[in-house]
Amino acid sequence: MKLYNTLSRQVEEFIPHEEGKVNFYTCGPTVYHYAHIGNMRNYVGHDVLDKTLRYLGYEVTRCMNITDVGHLTSDSDSGEDKMSVASKRENKSAMEIAKFYTDAFFEDFAKINCKKPEIVSPATSNIDMYIKMIEKLIKEEYAYISGGNVYFDISKLDDYYVLTNHQEDQMVVGAREGVEEDSNKKNQADFALWFTTSKFENHELLWDSPWGKGYPGWHIECSGISIKYLGEYLDIHGGGVDNIFPHHTNEIAQSEAYLGHKWCNYWFHNEHLLDESGKMSKSKGDILTVSVLEESGYDPLAFRFMCLGSHYRRQLVFSYDALKQAQSTLNKLRNRISKIETTGEIDKEKFEVYNNKFKEELENDLNTSNALTVLYEVLKDNELNGSTKLELIKNFDKVFSIELIKEKEVDSSLEEYINEKIKERSEAKKNKDYTLADSIRDELAAKGIKLIDTKDGTTYEI
Ligand SMILES: [Zn+2]
């Protein structure tokens, strides 16, 4: 598989540390507010990568954090903790805020058919890990204590700006938007690992540490959680393009200083979804979420379909016109597929030809729009029988996840009838009346209902 790697700034052959296995980390949401559809586009990109890797046969272990402490209003350690801001805004405790917005996040996540990572861990559950890391970083002089806080000293590294190709070191840190000068820092790009002092009083979430009562910085969370759950060698780390600097730059610095070796080989970044006025953000009044789209009558999967139509490394502009268009195309597609009859045996040779084409498009840095073109080719191919078409579509949808084949609903009276027959048949078998048992099975088979006997009882397929 070929994947664009932000670290090398080129499309590269993907080679995991251990053959056939992938450790994959995704930066999760900061749960101080709803995640808008721009955030969700990023998670669709990660979900497509996750499902593509599985489709290609890799064994994937994916981990995601939930930031419920330490992310300040500026990504560069200035301002107030976002959780505290939300607590004041909604007059709730930080943990109540975290619970509410974590649930809301996963609700929207499920609506767009994103698969929950195997490991999801809140930042507040791993404080011991951050303390262990920071202690080692101080001992090895990568970190220092100043004005009560612990900072990472970026001058101790040869290549702090490796991920940004040194574009950031040209900038005067104090001049960047939202960045305040911090007189405690030796270098202005140094970043906080642990806070014990803050100009904002009454920080709710505090833990004991060797440096005093305080709370972790945002960046150490992802390094700590990733190393704790996925080990010292990470295959893929992903996030939105806005995470490249400073968040991922800082993650590399502290993780590699802590481990003493290279940490992650591939950095995967999704481009922004813009609204018509520019960058989508939470600060411009109403937050446009997947649930809001659904309440307005749109299928959340039309939003996912819209994302699949564009490459993850291209900016995408959201408009209701574009969403309406996506909804109508998706409806037509599903309608067309619903008319395909299961005819003939699956043609294995033709199945492989199209399946390989589909895989090739995804293996080419996740070219989802070309993969959709393969789907249309399958639909148009008159030589292909219905069974082969449906089998291909069913498989493609493991990655697309847009419910191309709607399961036919079983009506309840039919269900009742089948269950009654299953009961009669097991009764007959118990009485050793195999003729009756077989005739019940045949009666159902004639109606297209296949019985399946398992050690836990009998189930059926229509
Ligand atoms: Zn992160």
Side-chain angles (χ1 to χ4, degrees):
M1 164 151 199
K2 287 190 163 60
L3 203 56
Y4 181 84
N5 186 356
T6 309
L7 196 58
S8 64
R9 286 162 287 280
Q10 59 191 15
V11 175
E12 280 181 40
E13 189 63 40
F14 172 68
I15 304 162
H17 284 100
E18 202 180 320
E19 206 186 329
K21 290 188 176 174
V22 183
N23 282 349
F24 177 13
Y25 186 87
T26 299
C27 283
T30 302
V31 284
Y32 72 111
H33 221 317
Y34 292 110
H36 58 57
I37 56 169
N39 303 128
M40 295 324 259
R41 184 206 181 186
N42 175 35
Y43 294 110
V44 169
H46 281 75
D47 189 63
V48 169
L49 176 57
D50 183 342
K51 286 174 179 163
T52 296
L53 290 165
R54 289 171 207 264
Y55 197 78
L56 297 174
Y58 289 103
E59 195 184 305
V60 181
T61 311
R62 191 167 156 219
C63 175
M64 185 165 89
N65 66 305
I66 299 291
T67 299
D68 53 1
V69 69
H71 192 176
L72 305 192
T73 44
S74 153
D75 285 358
S76 302
D77 310 330
S78 57
E80 194 172 4
D81 190 314
K82 289 185 177 188
M83 298 306 293
S84 306
V85 174
S87 289
K88 285 177 202 161
R89 182 185 68 222
E90 299 182 24
N91 205 14
K92 288 181 188 162
S93 73
M95 282 296 100
E96 281 167 342
I97 295 282
K99 166 95 178 67
F100 179 82
Y101 288 111
T102 302
D103 290 348
F105 172 78
F106 281 115
E107 234 171 76
D108 280 5
F109 201 74
K111 282 178 186 169
I112 49 172
N113 277 347
C114 283
K115 183 183 155 298
K116 207 168 176 176
E118 282 72 26
I119 304 153
V120 174
S121 189
T124 48
S125 305
N126 302 284
I127 303 294
D128 292 355
M129 181 67 189
Y130 320 138
I131 290 177
K132 182 177 139 190
M133 288 179 77
I134 298 166
E135 278 185 313
K136 187 173 175 194
L137 291 172
I138 294 173
K139 198 168 143 230
E140 298 191 356
E141 295 180 358
Y142 285 107
Y144 59 93
I145 302 162
S146 174
N149 295 336
V150 183
Y151 295 95
F152 188 93
D153 183 348
I154 66 148
S155 69
K156 294 287 166 73
L157 300 179
D158 296 335
D159 210 355
Y160 169 68
Y161 293 100
V162 62
L163 197 61
T164 60
N165 199 20
H166 293 264
Q167 284 162 6
E168 297 292 337
D169 61 347
Q170 314 300 330
M171 295 171 76
V172 181
V173 174
R176 258 202 346 260
E177 193 192 348
V179 178
E180 288 170 25
E181 288 261 346
D182 179 346
S183 57
N184 292 324
K185 293 180 180 177
K186 287 187 194 167
N187 316 287
Q188 275 310 306
D190 289 352
F191 55 93
L193 297 165
W194 190 268
F195 294 98
T196 65
T197 55
S198 164
K199 60 183 176 184
F200 298 98
E201 297 287 310
N202 308 323
H203 196 278
E204 199 185 316
L205 300 167
L206 295 171
W207 291 266
D208 286 323
S209 82
W211 321 287
K213 245 184 173 20
Y215 60 97
W218 171 38
H219 316 295
I220 195 76
E221 295 171 7
C222 287
S223 293
I225 291 173
S226 171
I227 294 168
K228 180 172 166 184
Y229 294 102
L230 297 176
E232 293 192 4
Y233 294 91
L234 185 61
D235 294 309
I236 305 173
H237 192 308
V241 282
D242 50 329
N243 289 146
I244 298 174
F245 188 84
H247 185 48
H248 290 164
T249 299
N250 293 348
E251 279 193 47
I252 294 176
Q254 67 205 3
S255 299
E256 297 191 353
Y258 171 74
L259 295 168
H261 59 72
K262 191 176 178 187
W263 171 48
C264 175
N265 283 341
Y266 300 87
W267 287 82
F268 174 77
H269 291 104
N270 275 256
E271 254 300 345
H272 284 302
L273 177 73
L274 312 174
D275 59 23
E276 285 168 297
S277 68
K279 193 182 173 226
M280 199 162 287
S281 87
K282 293 196 216 292
S283 51
K284 289 184 203 156
D286 290 344
I287 297 171
L288 187 52
T289 64
V290 168
S291 291
V292 168
L293 293 181
E294 191 181 42
E295 283 154 23
S296 316
Y298 295 96
D299 176 352
L301 294 180
F303 171 70
R304 184 177 172 109
F305 183 58
M306 191 178 110
C307 295
L308 296 175
S310 128
H311 195 263
Y312 76 92
R313 283 196 289 120
R314 289 229 180 94
Q315 290 191 342
L316 177 63
V317 178
F318 174 82
S319 69
Y320 278 100
D321 281 345
L323 184 64
K324 269 182 213 153
Q325 184 64 46
Q327 176 87 69
S328 139
T329 311
L330 181 60
N331 289 347
K332 280 184 204 151
L333 195 54
R334 282 176 179 156
N335 196 19
R336 193 168 163 186
I337 292 166
S338 72
K339 293 195 174 103
I340 302 174
E341 305 261 345
T342 318
T343 48
E345 292 281 304
I346 293 168
D347 184 334
K348 285 191 180 132
E349 226 167 273
K350 285 187 177 161
F351 176 90
E352 280 312 317
V353 170
Y354 278 113
N355 195 35
N356 286 338
K357 258 180 129 174
F358 174 73
K359 284 199 251 181
E360 270 166 33
E361 295 300 350
L362 292 173
E363 279 171 326
N364 181 19
D365 195 26
L366 302 179
N367 197 330
T368 45
S369 63
N370 279 5
L372 284 168
T373 307
V374 179
L375 170 66
Y376 281 103
E377 285 172 17
V378 166
L379 291 172
K380 269 188 249 163
D381 187 342
N382 294 329
E383 305 284 297
L384 214 53
N385 67 34
S387 302
T388 314
K389 281 188 184 183
L390 288 171
E391 189 63 16
L392 281 162
I393 296 163
K394 204 166 85 190
N395 276 282
F396 295 176
D397 209 27
K398 287 179 184 168
V399 178
F400 292 144
S401 302
I402 44 176
E403 293 171 13
L404 290 169
I405 302 176
K406 286 266 184 196
E407 290 298 328
K408 289 196 178 71
E409 280 176 35
V410 181
D411 74 63
S412 56
S413 60
L414 179 65
E415 208 174 346
E416 222 172 89
Y417 162 78
I418 300 169
N419 286 332
E420 194 53 45
K421 289 288 166 192
I422 289 176
K423 224 159 100 193
E424 272 179 45
R425 179 169 165 262
S426 54
E427 205 57 39
K429 276 165 102 178
K430 224 185 269 167
N431 299 332
K432 298 200 162 53
D433 188 352
Y434 296 110
T435 323
L436 177 61
D438 286 349
S439 77
I440 294 169
R441 192 196 55 209
D442 295 343
E443 185 192 328
L444 289 170
K447 292 187 162 79
I449 300 151
K450 185 179 159 196
L451 296 181
I452 303 154
D453 292 313
T454 72
K455 62 174 172 38
D456 302 319
T458 305
T459 58
Y460 61 89
E461 229 176 56
I462 300 174

